[in-house]
Amino acid sequence: MASNSAITLSELTQRFGGDIAGDAGHRVNGLAPLDKAGPEQLAFLANQKYLSQVESTRAGAVLISPADLEKVASPEGRNFIVTPNPYAYFARVAQVFIDLATPPVEPGVHSTAFVHPAAKVAASAVIGPHVSVEAGAVIGERVKLDAGVSIGQGVRLADDVHLYPHVTVYHGCKLGARVIVHAGAVIGADGFGFAPDFVGDGEARTGSWVKIPQVGAVVIANDVEIGANTTIDRGAMADTIIEECVKIDNLVQIGHNCRIGAYTVIAGCAGIAGSTNIGRHCMIGGAVGIAGHVTLADYVIVTAQSGVSKSLLKPGMYTSAFPAVNHADWNKSAAIVRNLDKLRERIKTLETAAEKLQDKP
Amino acid sequence: MASNSAITLSELTQRFGGDIAGDAGHRVNGLAPLDKAGPEQLAFLANQKYLSQVESTRAGAVLISPADLEKVASPEGRNFIVTPNPYAYFARVAQVFIDLATPPVEPGVHSTAFVHPAAKVAASAVIGPHVSVEAGAVIGERVKLDAGVSIGQGVRLADDVHLYPHVTVYHGCKLGARVIVHAGAVIGADGFGFAPDFVGDGEARTGSWVKIPQVGAVVIANDVEIGANTTIDRGAMADTIIEECVKIDNLVQIGHNCRIGAYTVIAGCAGIAGSTNIGRHCMIGGAVGIAGHVTLADYVIVTAQSGVSKSLLKPGMYTSAFPAVNHADWNKSAAIVRNLDKLRERIKTLETAAEKLQDKP
Amino acid sequence: MASNSAITLSELTQRFGGDIAGDAGHRVNGLAPLDKAGPEQLAFLANQKYLSQVESTRAGAVLISPADLEKVASPEGRNFIVTPNPYAYFARVAQVFIDLATPPVEPGVHSTAFVHPAAKVAASAVIGPHVSVEAGAVIGERVKLDAGVSIGQGVRLADDVHLYPHVTVYHGCKLGARVIVHAGAVIGADGFGFAPDFVGDGEARTGSWVKIPQVGAVVIANDVEIGANTTIDRGAMADTIIEECVKIDNLVQIGHNCRIGAYTVIAGCAGIAGSTNIGRHCMIGGAVGIAGHVTLADYVIVTAQSGVSKSLLKPGMYTSAFPAVNHADWNKSAAIVRNLDKLRERIKTLETAAEKLQDKP
């Protein structure tokens, strides 16, 4: 990166905290792994197994925890930023360098965008090509709407929201400050609700499914990030709620009237049915399925591909997935599983026989 | 809601049927739950457990079944609309209030939309910002195409279709009357078909996958609703068929040449591989996977996260999913499952031993 | 199809190889199944069970393997193109007829598209309505960008790429020649990476997730096809790599820093977590989940809905999914599975008892 994006270590600690061991005036202009970093780059140690690389690195400075610094045999002549969480520190500094390297974008509404006259867009917002903003929408300061984003009537986007291309926000939904939504995600589509209105059975059944109007919205708190092509449905009567700092990966489905507690992370391809209440600080693995109308306590972890059909009211880790094994072996086991009751019956028979035998004189 | 959207109970029964017990001229202007409704609101009783609330509600009127009305201790002085299916009735009335409260949209083509001169758009249709409609497409009466919808060559949309933002309909597909498709759904992408054209094995393998052109389309009947970011592939030779009143949730994948029978509902994240034939009135749970080239009878129910690898030719409920339990407990069970044949072997050995012992004098 | 799209058998063999048995000058203008083809149509035999139809077909010519041709009782008077792989040959010929029947599209940039002045678009490219192409992008010869496609800064699309409507390619990603991406797919969204920066436990926990900037890209080799609404995340530091001729179905999620080996096929709804390395010529079934940081050897097959949590270093077929059975039966088995350790304990007790009994005099 260009030298005009170089920063001194002391500028970094002023901004992000931490202590400097070594030359506070040393300038760095980028990040790199310990084994590849040069004198103008900052490296970090987040994993004990790379400790030896700290001795040999050519990095201009190393982010390190106080405990790890004590393990470095010869810290002399090296520069360190000492912080309890070098990995998080690294993430924050990385963002700084990206921002320095990114040319500023002109605020304003692109000539191909459509903004309804009854919408309100902050002057500092960047409205990209082919964006549409409907009546009554309010777009906050420094909001960035990429190409083709569609904002429905009465939507409210707080400051510093960034919506990537083709994100759709249906009418009436609200997104908090700094929310990031990746391309193709859909916020606020109708929940899946139909009242059965049929009479008769079998071939003689007549009637239809009657759509239940979905008049709630989706309300998303500050600092949430939502992955590409994820869908979060609007509530039926009340709202669907995503609390602060929730992080949701790609292709996740969240049904109507769910509440996702603050700081919870949800990995890709997970699906959460309607009216389910997920606690705070939960971790939902990839492709997990969670039934509707259940509750997960705070600090629940569900491992990848597991299915949750009932409430999990205690913190802890839950699982129901099998790891793949050789196909023929698996099929053998699977056939036995389908007949486990017979196996159990045979054990019972044996137990009865054993009792009789033991009673024999 | 404003009083100009108030309706008398008799206006409702004229439109939707049902009998009035009480004041037919009473006006209501909205819906609310029994415990929150006021004198200008309509409530409904669809679940026995709320029967006692009918005695105490302040609702202007209550939707109730004849059987439940008989259980109400003191119906005097209250207003009821008596109908066999209060829940479906509620859904229909809710839509009326929404329509009354929604300002009418001006028909016409938005200035930023692109409609090919060889497409035919009904004068009553509403074509939103940045929509594109290609040559040969036919757009019916009162169709609503939201921002950024893309309609391919020769597509036919029947009357009252509503496509939400960024829906894509590939060339040649047909959507029936009143079909609703939510944002980001893709109708008619190429089915997943490739002919292997390889010679040699292992490292020496050469060749490639040859794309099989997909020349069928997707044909969707009346009253179908399709969720956000769902994908329905076009057929290889013949068409993919979605019959009337099928309801499909978000992030569902339907492969080429499938047929989904009328009134079937498919929950979110389900995937149905190609050439599969699902019956009428089926219920496919969330994240269910169904293999290709299988048949499901009418009235089949597959519970969430189950996998269907063979045809299910009898109506009924089918399952293959486990509910998540404590992680350590699960791992213990999972290890035994992988070695069930050894467990069975041990039982067999015991049985042989038991027989010998019983033969002992 | 119109007769002006008719081709002689010899024109086909000149283009695609194979030998002619019969009249090399016979003209065909389309494809059809053996039992439906007429004298101007080409049929193919790819499955032994249709061998008898070759005797009775009215097809103008039949694609057939040398081995199958020997089994035809009376080949006289019929026309054949003899090729080792009739199915692949059929696929190639089908594409020819489609191309002949498709009116040529005028190259150029649609009046509603936005192309940044600092982007470079080949004159032969077709840039559709409402497309946006950002600064620094390079668009190759004959590239086709359908309605609403969004191309980020510095993206490179090689020759003959075809992106269907609403595809998003984030900044810096590269797509090889002839890559096809279906509608709504998202290439290059941020990988799912957050550093935990929390202190305290339970209710007292404070802090947040810190976003790890994702500065890698997605690099896609030649002849890859990607399905509708699929998402492939950009790398954190290095790139996410999709090698040549990989075929990916709809609604698939590929995490940051994955590498998918050449010729591998991935069916719909599969999810692959970050930093996973899939070999060449693998087949990943529908809705398969693969954990992060694992390696799959070349020629690994994972059957539908299975879960891979560890590396699979030998070629072969792997499975962990159960097929759905009657719901009540399944629940019985599932309850036993959860208590398999108790069943094993009972067997152990029996074994101990049996030993004692056998020791009895």
Side-chain angles (χ1 to χ4, degrees):
Chain A
M1 290 182 202
S3 59
N4 61 356
S5 63
I7 303 181
T8 63
L9 300 186
S10 62
E11 282 168 330
L12 287 174
T13 56
Q14 272 158 38
R15 188 148 167 199
F16 298 117
D19 299 314
I20 296 166
D23 175 9
H26 188 85
R27 299 178 86 84
V28 289
N29 63 17
L31 290 148
L34 280 165
D35 59 344
K36 289 183 183 143
E40 296 195 326
Q41 288 174 308
L42 185 63
F44 72 100
L45 178 71
N47 188 325
Q48 292 278 334
K49 71 174 169 180
Y50 301 117
L51 194 60
S52 67
Q53 293 186 0
V54 177
E55 310 283 350
S56 56
T57 185
R58 295 177 54 244
V62 178
L63 294 163
I64 197 165
S65 71
D68 283 342
L69 181 56
E70 290 196 11
K71 294 176 193 154
V72 177
S74 50
E76 312 79 24
R78 298 189 175 282
N79 304 318
F80 296 95
I81 292 179
V82 188
T83 166
N85 192 338
Y87 190 46
Y89 205 110
F90 147 77
R92 290 193 171 97
V93 175
Q95 192 59 55
V96 170
F97 288 121
I98 288 170
D99 292 347
L100 284 170
T102 306
V105 188
E106 287 292 308
V109 177
H110 194 274
S111 61
T112 61
F114 163 69
V115 176
H116 193 284
K120 202 175 149 190
V121 177
S124 58
V126 181
I127 310 298
H130 312 116
V131 166
S132 61
V133 180
E134 297 290 345
V138 179
I139 311 295
E141 298 293 339
R142 297 168 303 279
V143 164
K144 194 160 179 298
L145 303 185
D146 289 351
V149 161
S150 163
I151 302 296
Q153 287 185 21
V155 164
R156 287 174 166 268
L157 305 181
D159 297 344
D160 300 295
V161 163
H162 184 183
L163 307 186
Y164 281 87
H166 307 128
V167 165
T168 299
V169 185
Y170 278 56
H171 61 280
C173 296
K174 292 175 192 157
L175 278 65
R178 297 171 300 281
V179 165
I180 297 170
V181 185
H182 284 282
V186 177
I187 311 299
D190 283 352
F192 196 59
F194 301 91
D197 192 30
F198 295 97
V199 293
D201 279 320
E203 296 282 321
R205 198 183 199 194
T206 59
S208 72
W209 293 102
V210 184
K211 182 175 176 66
I212 313 227
Q214 305 289 306
V215 300
V218 177
V219 178
I220 299 177
N222 296 342
D223 297 305
V224 168
E225 182 160 347
I226 294 169
N229 283 345
T230 280
T231 57
I232 304 179
D233 281 350
R234 67 193 309 110
M237 299 276 251
D239 294 331
T240 302
I241 305 285
I242 314 291
E243 294 184 358
E244 70 267 22
C245 209
V246 164
K247 307 295 182 185
I248 302 174
D249 199 356
N250 298 347
L251 290 172
V252 170
Q253 149 70 355
I254 297 182
H256 53 181
N257 297 105
C258 284
R259 169 243 171 186
I260 312 294
Y263 305 101
T264 285
V265 294
I266 304 178
C269 307
I272 303 177
S275 300
T276 275
N277 185 347
I278 308 272
R280 294 161 59 94
H281 296 291
C282 291
M283 305 184 79
I284 309 299
V288 161
I290 304 184
H293 296 272
V294 306
T295 296
L296 271 62
D298 297 349
Y299 293 98
V300 161
I301 298 169
V302 185
T303 63
Q305 280 201 315
S306 298
V308 177
S309 57
K310 289 183 184 165
S311 291
L312 301 173
L313 300 176
K314 287 186 185 169
M317 190 183 289
Y318 297 86
T319 299
S320 68
F322 291 96
V325 295
N326 174 286
H327 179 69
D329 291 347
W330 176 264
N331 277 358
K332 237 184 285 174
S333 292
I336 305 178
V337 165
R338 276 195 297 278
N339 292 293
L340 269 179
D341 49 340
K342 289 177 194 156
L343 211 65
R344 190 173 53 178
E345 214 44 58
R346 284 163 67 181
I347 294 172
K348 209 166 176 181
T349 307
L350 281 166
E351 286 168 338
T352 312
E355 276 172 39
K356 279 190 193 162
L357 285 167
Q358 283 164 332
D359 292 346
K360 266 193 183 174
Chain B
M1 291 180 201
S3 59
N4 61 357
S5 63
I7 304 181
T8 63
L9 300 186
S10 61
E11 283 168 331
L12 286 173
T13 55
Q14 272 157 39
R15 188 148 166 200
F16 298 116
D19 298 314
I20 296 166
D23 175 9
H26 189 86
R27 299 178 85 84
V28 288
N29 62 19
L31 291 148
L34 279 165
D35 59 344
K36 289 184 182 141
E40 296 194 327
Q41 288 175 309
L42 185 62
F44 71 100
L45 177 71
N47 188 324
Q48 294 277 334
K49 71 175 168 179
Y50 300 117
L51 194 60
S52 68
Q53 292 187 0
V54 177
E55 311 282 350
S56 56
T57 186
R58 294 177 53 245
V62 177
L63 294 164
I64 197 165
S65 70
D68 283 343
L69 182 55
E70 290 196 12
K71 294 175 194 154
V72 177
S74 50
E76 312 78 26
R78 299 189 174 283
N79 304 317
F80 296 95
I81 293 178
V82 189
T83 165
N85 192 337
Y87 190 45
Y89 204 111
F90 148 76
R92 291 193 171 98
V93 175
Q95 193 58 55
V96 169
F97 287 122
I98 288 170
D99 293 347
L100 283 170
T102 306
V105 188
E106 285 292 308
V109 177
H110 194 274
S111 62
T112 61
F114 163 68
V115 176
H116 192 283
K120 201 174 151 190
V121 177
S124 57
V126 181
I127 311 298
H130 312 117
V131 167
S132 61
V133 180
E134 297 291 344
V138 179
I139 311 296
E141 299 292 339
R142 296 168 304 278
V143 164
K144 195 159 178 298
L145 304 185
D146 289 352
V149 161
S150 164
I151 301 296
Q153 288 185 19
V155 164
R156 288 174 166 267
L157 305 181
D159 297 344
D160 299 295
V161 162
H162 184 183
L163 307 186
Y164 280 86
H166 306 129
V167 166
T168 299
V169 185
Y170 278 55
H171 61 279
C173 295
K174 292 176 191 158
L175 278 65
R178 295 171 301 280
V179 164
I180 297 170
V181 185
H182 284 282
V186 177
I187 311 299
D190 284 352
F192 196 59
F194 301 91
D197 191 29
F198 294 97
V199 292
D201 278 320
E203 296 283 320
R205 198 183 200 194
T206 58
S208 72
W209 293 102
V210 183
K211 181 175 176 66
I212 313 228
Q214 305 288 305
V215 300
V218 178
V219 178
I220 299 177
N222 296 342
D223 297 304
V224 168
E225 183 160 345
I226 295 168
N229 283 346
T230 280
T231 56
I232 304 179
D233 280 350
R234 66 193 309 110
M237 299 275 252
D239 295 331
T240 302
I241 305 285
I242 314 292
E243 295 183 357
E244 68 267 22
C245 210
V246 164
K247 307 295 183 184
I248 302 175
D249 200 354
N250 298 347
L251 290 173
V252 170
Q253 149 70 356
I254 297 182
H256 52 180
N257 297 104
C258 283
R259 169 243 171 185
I260 312 294
Y263 305 101
T264 285
V265 294
I266 303 177
C269 307
I272 303 177
S275 300
T276 275
N277 185 347
I278 309 272
R280 293 160 59 94
H281 297 291
C282 291
M283 305 185 79
I284 309 299
V288 161
I290 304 184
H293 296 272
V294 306
T295 296
L296 271 63
D298 296 349
Y299 293 98
V300 160
I301 298 169
V302 185
T303 64
Q305 279 201 314
S306 298
V308 177
S309 57
K310 289 184 183 165
S311 291
L312 302 173
L313 300 177
K314 287 186 186 170
M317 190 183 289
Y318 297 86
T319 299
S320 68
F322 291 96
V325 296
N326 174 286
H327 179 70
D329 292 347
W330 176 263
N331 278 358
K332 235 184 287 174
S333 292
I336 305 179
V337 165
R338 276 195 297 279
N339 292 293
L340 269 179
D341 49 340
K342 288 177 195 157
L343 212 66
R344 191 174 52 178
E345 213 44 56
R346 285 163 66 182
I347 293 172
K348 209 165 177 182
T349 307
L350 281 166
E351 285 169 338
T352 312
E355 277 172 37
K356 279 189 194 162
L357 285 167
Q358 283 164 332
D359 294 345
K360 265 194 184 175
Chain C
M1 291 181 199
S3 59
N4 61 356
S5 62
I7 303 181
T8 63
L9 300 186
S10 61
E11 282 168 331
L12 288 173
T13 56
Q14 273 157 39
R15 188 148 168 200
F16 298 116
D19 298 314
I20 296 166
D23 175 9
H26 188 86
R27 298 177 86 83
V28 288
N29 63 18
L31 291 147
L34 280 165
D35 59 343
K36 289 183 183 142
E40 296 194 326
Q41 288 175 308
L42 184 62
F44 71 99
L45 177 70
N47 188 324
Q48 292 278 333
K49 72 174 167 180
Y50 300 117
L51 194 61
S52 68
Q53 292 186 1
V54 177
E55 310 282 348
S56 56
T57 186
R58 293 178 53 246
V62 178
L63 294 163
I64 198 164
S65 71
D68 282 343
L69 181 55
E70 290 195 11
K71 294 175 194 154
V72 176
S74 49
E76 313 78 25
R78 297 189 175 284
N79 305 317
F80 296 94
I81 292 178
V82 189
T83 165
N85 192 336
Y87 191 44
Y89 205 111
F90 148 77
R92 291 193 171 98
V93 175
Q95 193 58 55
V96 170
F97 288 122
I98 288 169
D99 293 347
L100 283 171
T102 306
V105 187
E106 286 292 308
V109 177
H110 194 274
S111 61
T112 61
F114 163 68
V115 176
H116 193 284
K120 201 175 150 189
V121 177
S124 58
V126 181
I127 310 299
H130 311 116
V131 166
S132 61
V133 180
E134 296 291 345
V138 178
I139 311 296
E141 298 292 339
R142 296 168 304 277
V143 164
K144 194 160 179 296
L145 303 185
D146 289 352
V149 161
S150 164
I151 302 296
Q153 287 185 20
V155 164
R156 288 176 166 264
L157 305 181
D159 297 343
D160 300 295
V161 163
H162 184 183
L163 307 186
Y164 281 86
H166 306 129
V167 165
T168 299
V169 186
Y170 277 55
H171 61 279
C173 295
K174 292 175 192 158
L175 278 65
R178 296 171 300 281
V179 164
I180 297 170
V181 185
H182 284 282
V186 177
I187 310 298
D190 283 352
F192 196 60
F194 302 90
D197 192 29
F198 294 97
V199 293
D201 279 319
E203 296 282 321
R205 197 183 200 195
T206 59
S208 71
W209 294 101
V210 184
K211 182 175 176 66
I212 313 226
Q214 305 288 306
V215 299
V218 178
V219 177
I220 298 177
N222 296 341
D223 297 304
V224 168
E225 182 160 347
I226 295 169
N229 284 344
T230 280
T231 57
I232 304 179
D233 280 350
R234 66 192 310 109
M237 299 276 252
D239 296 330
T240 302
I241 305 286
I242 313 292
E243 295 183 356
E244 69 266 23
C245 209
V246 164
K247 307 296 183 183
I248 303 174
D249 199 355
N250 298 346
L251 290 173
V252 169
Q253 149 71 356
I254 296 182
H256 53 180
N257 297 104
C258 283
R259 169 244 171 185
I260 311 294
Y263 306 102
T264 285
V265 295
I266 304 178
C269 305
I272 303 177
S275 299
T276 275
N277 185 347
I278 309 272
R280 294 160 60 94
H281 297 290
C282 291
M283 305 185 80
I284 309 300
V288 161
I290 304 184
H293 295 273
V294 306
T295 295
L296 270 63
D298 296 349
Y299 294 98
V300 161
I301 298 169
V302 185
T303 64
Q305 279 200 315
S306 298
V308 177
S309 58
K310 289 183 183 165
S311 291
L312 301 173
L313 300 177
K314 287 186 186 169
M317 190 183 288
Y318 298 86
T319 299
S320 69
F322 291 95
V325 295
N326 174 287
H327 179 69
D329 291 347
W330 176 262
N331 278 359
K332 236 184 286 173
S333 293
I336 304 178
V337 165
R338 277 195 296 278
N339 292 292
L340 269 179
D341 50 338
K342 288 177 195 157
L343 213 65
R344 191 173 53 177
E345 214 43 59
R346 285 163 67 182
I347 293 173
K348 209 165 177 180
T349 307
L350 281 166
E351 286 169 337
T352 312
E355 275 171 39
K356 280 190 192 162
L357 285 167
Q358 282 164 332
D359 293 346
K360 264 193 184 177

